[in-house]
Structure formats: structure tokens, C-alpha cells
């Protein structure tokens, strides 16, 4: 005879199965299996400055077929059986839309394209340039329902001969600080298109936004913002207000003062008072070797070599038993083109440096003595 607690368990299990049978709980238990189509999905991402570019696509194979003028017709594809008998361009991949995403505004082949995601389509030509289309309708299946009214941009691209590639591939090449060349490579053709981002404009906008958030309470964040402007020789007037806020919020004063001094010089302002303030600060008993060294490199990395030399010499005077001030002073003389003094101070650094630094310094000395 079944006891009460056994009867309760049976009823509970039956009710549980009844409640969830056919529900979304079981619908979510499908197995993960390989993609069954002939064209595998792929994705490639590239960053320009802080701008992310991602291309999501499917990779058809050549499979001994005639691709250009065959599988991929020149001009528009006939619409019979698709798109209500309306001609359509090539989907530049397989299956659903090939999609390209930009996290910020960019230009493609010189044409402005706002941040967002776009479907890529192409109109191949037997000779001459092709047409690259970026469509705001990026969620369609291929190009079969392509509508020209949704075009964000149409640009000309020049196909190139390339080594055979069996599986269609997108990639990026020819990187610079503010641009890259994206390309489609399939069979024996490569179709490149240049993407550019106004990196400084984007970064400055991001900086201004970040400084109104939690970063704005951190003096180092204001110094980093000013340092970015110094390194890129831009926006000096606003950067000077940022470095003043960094100092007010207690950022490393040696680096901050060096940054302010160099920014004032870039802006054509008299920076004598700030330079003198930095020297006084560097001589203070509480200022560390690292403080002085870091400030010197602010000068050195921004082509203020004489000011860097002054700080590195002071660091050698203050910390004569440490190897690093001699090493930095040698580097500054090397940047100035004074090989004799560069060799002198690198050799002094070598004598005091730990063994782990010897190979590096030996390499520099070998180069300097060869040049001399």
C-alpha cells in the first residue's frame, strides 16, 4: 500500500511534467551541432583608435565552379523567382546578409557613414570598377529583397587580382592610426575598400563624456586626457584646463607640471614659470626618483629634449647610486644626437644596473659605437 508521502511525490512529478511538457523549458534544450549548410559562418573585427569594425558573413566555396560571371553574375542578378522579378545585386557572401558594423561614424571610400550596422552588397563588373553598397536593411536574407531606397552609401571599388582562395574571406590590411582597408577575397579576386575614422574627434568626445562620470573625480584621468592632446598636438587650450584640474585633484605633480609646460609650449605660451616650478618640485626631498624620471619622459616623448636633459641630470645628482637615472640621461643624449655623452651615461648605467638589464644596454652601446 502506498504511503501518503509517496503518493504526494508521484502526484507532484506528474504535475511538473504536465506543466512543462511542450513549454519553452524543453524548447531550450536543443543540442549544439555543427552548422549544416555548405557555407560556414564567420566574423572578423578590427579596431581603429577606439572604433570597432566587425564584418559577419558566410563563406561559400569555389568548388570548381566558375565564380565571376557564373555563380556571381556581372551587373545585377535577374529577379525571376526571387524579389518579385526585380533585379538585385550580389550579397557579397552567402545565406543571409553580409553585415558590417561601425561603433562610430566613419568614411568608406571617402563617403560618410554613420555608426551602425549595414548590409554589404556589390555590383560586379566584368571590367573596371565595381559598386559597393551599404544598406540600412542589414537583416534581410541575402540580396533577394534588396531595396535601393535603403541605401546608406554607394561607392566605387577597384577589384584586384589575387592568389586563389577556395573559401570566401573578409579581412583587414594596410592599418594606420586612423584607417584600414577592408577586403573581400574569393577565387582569384580581392575587392578592397578603405575605412577611415576621425580618431582624435572620436577620442576627444569620449574623453569629455568620461570626465563627467566617475573618472572626473580622479586627478590622473584629467592628466591622461591632457597628455593625449599633448601627444597628438591637438586641442591645447582645453587640455590646459584639464591639466589644471588634474593638479587641483592631486595628480602626480611632476608629470602634471611637465605636461602643462609642454602643452604651453605647443600652444605658443610662455612656460618659464611652470618649468621653474617643476624644477623646484623635483628638488624637494619628498620627490622620488620615479617622479622625476616620469616627468622627464613626458618631455622626451614630446620632443622637448633639452627640458628632459635638465630633469634627468637633476635625477642623477639626487640619486647617484641608482642605475636608472644614468640610463634615462643616456637615452636623452641619444635623442639629442650627442653620441659621446650617450655612450658615457649608458656605460655608467651598465656598471650599476642589475644583470637583467645588461643585454639591452650592451645592444644600445654596440649600436652607438658603430654609429660613431
Amino acid at each position: 500500500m502506498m504511503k501518503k508521502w509517496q503518493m504526494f511525490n508521484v502526484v507532484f512529478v506528474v504535475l511538473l511534467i504536465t506543466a512543462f511538457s511542450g513549454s519553452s523549458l524543453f524548447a531550450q534544450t536543443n543540442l549544439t551541432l555543427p552548422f549544416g549548410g555548405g557555407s560556414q559562418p564567420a566574423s572578423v573585427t578590427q579596431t581603429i583608435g577606439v572604433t570597432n569594425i566587425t564584418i559577419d558573413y558566410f563563406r561559400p566555396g569555389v568548388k570548381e565552379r566558375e565564380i565571376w560571371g557564373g555563380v556571381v553574375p556581372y551587373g545585377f542578378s535577374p529577379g525571376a523567382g526571387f524579389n518579385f522579378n526585380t533585379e538585385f545585386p550580389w550579397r557579397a557572401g552567402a545565406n543571409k546578409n553580409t553585415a558590417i558594423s561601425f561603433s562610430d561614424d566613419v568614411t568608406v571610400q571617402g563617403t560618410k557613414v554613420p555608426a551602425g550596422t549595414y548590409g554589404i552588397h556589390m555590383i560586379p563588373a566584368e571590367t573596371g570598377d565595381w559598386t559597393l553598397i551599404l544598406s540600412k536593411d542589414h537583416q534581410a536574407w541575402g540580396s533577394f529583397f534588396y531595396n535601393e531606397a535603403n541605401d546608406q552609401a554607394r561607392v566605387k571599388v577597384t577589384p584586384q587580382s589575387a592568389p586563389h582562395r577556395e573559401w570566401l574571406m573578409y579581412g583587414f590590411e594596410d592599418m594606420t592610426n586612423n584607417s584600414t582597408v577592408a577586403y573581400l577575397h574569393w577565387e582569384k579576386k580581392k575587392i578592397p575598400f578603405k575605412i577611415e575614422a576621425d580618431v582624435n574627434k572620436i577620442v576627444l568626445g569620449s574623453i569629455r563624456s568620461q570626465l563627467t562620470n566617475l573618472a572626473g573625480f580622479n586627478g590622473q584621468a584629467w592628466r591622461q586626457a591632457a597628455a593625449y592632446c599633448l601627444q597628438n598636438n591637438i586641442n591645447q587650450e582645453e587640455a590646459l584646463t584639464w591639466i589644471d584640474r588634474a593638479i587641483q585633484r592631486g595628480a602626480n605633480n611632476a608629470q602634471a607640471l611637465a605636461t602643462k609646460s609642454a602643452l604651453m609650449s605647443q600652444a605658443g605660451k610662455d612656460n618659464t614659470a611652470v618649468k621653474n616650478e617643476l624644477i623646484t618640485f623635483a628638488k624637494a626631498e619628498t620627490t622620488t626618483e620615479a617622479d622625476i624620471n616620469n616627468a622627464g619622459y613626458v618631455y622626451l616623448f614630446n620632443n622637448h629634449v633639452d627640458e628632459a636633459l635638465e630633469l634627468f641630470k637633476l635625477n642623477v645628482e639626487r640619486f647617484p647610486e641608482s642605475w636608472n637615472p644614468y640610463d634615462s640621461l643616456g637615452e636623452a643624449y641619444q635623442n639629442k644626437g650627442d653620441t659621446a655623452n650617450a655612450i658615457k651615461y649608458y656605460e655608467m648605467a651598465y656598471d650599476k644596473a642589475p644583470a637583467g638589464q645588461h643585454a639591452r644596454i650592451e645592444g644600445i652601446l654596440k649600436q652607438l659605437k658603430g654609429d660613431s
Side-chain angles (χ1 to χ4, degrees):
M1 182 174 177
M2 188 176 288
K3 296 181 179 179
K4 283 186 177 181
W5 66 268
Q6 291 174 318
M7 178 69 73
F8 173 80
N9 285 345
V10 170
V11 172
F12 177 76
V13 170
V14 170
L15 289 174
L16 188 66
I17 293 173
T18 303
F20 286 109
S21 60
S23 73
S24 60
L25 174 67
F26 291 98
Q28 294 172 6
T29 60
N30 292 333
L31 296 177
T32 299
L33 296 171
F35 180 77
S39 302
Q40 296 290 331
S43 182
V44 61
T45 297
Q46 180 62 59
T47 300
I48 308 173
V50 295
T51 299
N52 294 322
I53 306 165
T54 299
I55 303 176
D56 294 302
Y57 64 106
F58 284 79
R59 305 185 66 185
V62 175
K63 301 177 182 177
E64 299 182 350
R65 299 176 295 175
E66 180 185 1
I67 300 302
W68 311 116
V71 174
V72 180
Y74 294 120
F76 282 85
S77 297
F82 303 103
N83 203 16
F84 309 103
N85 296 321
T86 302
E87 293 183 327
F88 54 88
W90 179 43
R91 53 185 151 177
N95 299 336
K96 67 177 186 178
N97 263 186
T98 296
I100 187 167
S101 300
F102 308 108
S103 62
D104 299 289
D105 296 351
V106 297
T107 64
V108 177
Q109 293 288 98
T111 297
K112 293 181 179 179
V113 177
T117 301
Y118 303 92
I120 298 180
H121 309 272
M122 294 185 183
I123 305 174
E126 188 169 4
T127 60
D129 290 343
W130 292 16
T131 300
L132 170 70
I133 301 168
L134 299 184
S135 171
K136 287 175 279 190
D137 183 10
H138 67 277
Q139 295 179 320
W141 184 265
S143 297
F144 303 122
F145 299 95
Y146 167 76
N147 184 345
E148 186 175 345
N150 292 329
D151 286 1
Q152 177 63 50
R154 277 191 174 216
V155 297
K156 294 296 183 181
V157 292
T158 303
Q160 302 171 354
S161 297
H164 179 86
R165 179 168 292 280
E166 175 65 22
W167 297 97
L168 183 147
M169 183 186 81
Y170 280 90
F172 297 94
E173 60 188 6
D174 297 340
M175 291 293 302
T176 72
N177 289 336
N178 58 11
S179 71
T180 185
V181 174
Y183 63 84
L184 179 155
H185 185 180
W186 195 27
E187 202 253 2
K188 294 183 179 179
K189 285 190 184 296
K190 180 185 281 190
I191 299 90
F193 50 100
K194 188 172 186 178
I195 301 171
E196 298 174 275
D198 189 340
V199 172
N200 286 335
K201 179 181 178 181
I202 293 167
V203 171
L204 286 175
S206 175
I207 286 172
R208 293 181 185 114
S209 176
Q210 290 179 70
L211 289 176
T212 64
N213 212 304
L214 291 177
F217 296 97
N218 181 358
Q220 286 292 0
W222 292 95
R223 188 193 65 77
Q224 290 169 347
Y228 179 84
C229 297
L230 173 62
Q231 291 160 8
N232 291 278
N233 197 15
I234 57 170
N235 196 45
Q236 286 86 0
E237 292 299 330
E238 186 174 19
L240 284 168
T241 68
W242 291 345
I243 198 62
D244 282 340
R245 291 189 179 186
I247 294 169
Q248 290 167 6
R249 291 200 175 277
N252 181 308
N253 281 333
Q255 282 182 274
L257 288 170
T259 301
K260 182 174 182 178
S261 169
L263 275 168
M264 292 181 73
S265 179
Q266 269 189 1
K269 299 177 183 291
D270 182 4
N271 64 348
T272 303
V274 180
K275 285 197 297 183
N276 291 339
E277 184 180 356
L278 174 55
I279 294 299
T280 300
F281 182 85
K283 290 179 178 179
E285 186 175 340
T286 55
T287 303
T288 68
E289 173 193 328
D291 290 338
I292 301 169
N293 201 59
N294 290 337
Y297 276 108
V298 170
Y299 278 136
L300 189 62
F301 290 158
N302 291 283
N303 300 315
H304 294 261
V305 181
D306 290 336
E307 288 91 341
L309 280 167
E310 187 174 8
L311 282 179
F312 291 145
K313 288 177 183 176
L314 177 58
N315 219 13
V316 167
E317 292 173 9
R318 287 207 53 204
F319 303 95
E321 299 307 315
S322 178
W323 70 274
N324 197 47
Y326 297 92
D327 188 78
S328 298
L329 186 53
E331 185 176 353
Y333 275 120
Q334 185 180 6
N335 274 261
K336 191 175 176 65
D338 186 341
T339 303
N341 272 317
I343 291 172
K344 172 185 174 181
Y345 285 101
Y346 273 124
E347 287 180 337
M348 295 173 75
Y350 181 90
D351 290 340
K352 297 176 179 293
Q357 294 291 333
H358 285 174
R360 179 186 64 83
I361 299 173
E362 284 173 353
I364 295 170
L365 284 168
K366 183 177 180 181
Q367 178 188 338
L368 287 169
K369 290 175 180 179
D371 291 344
S372 63

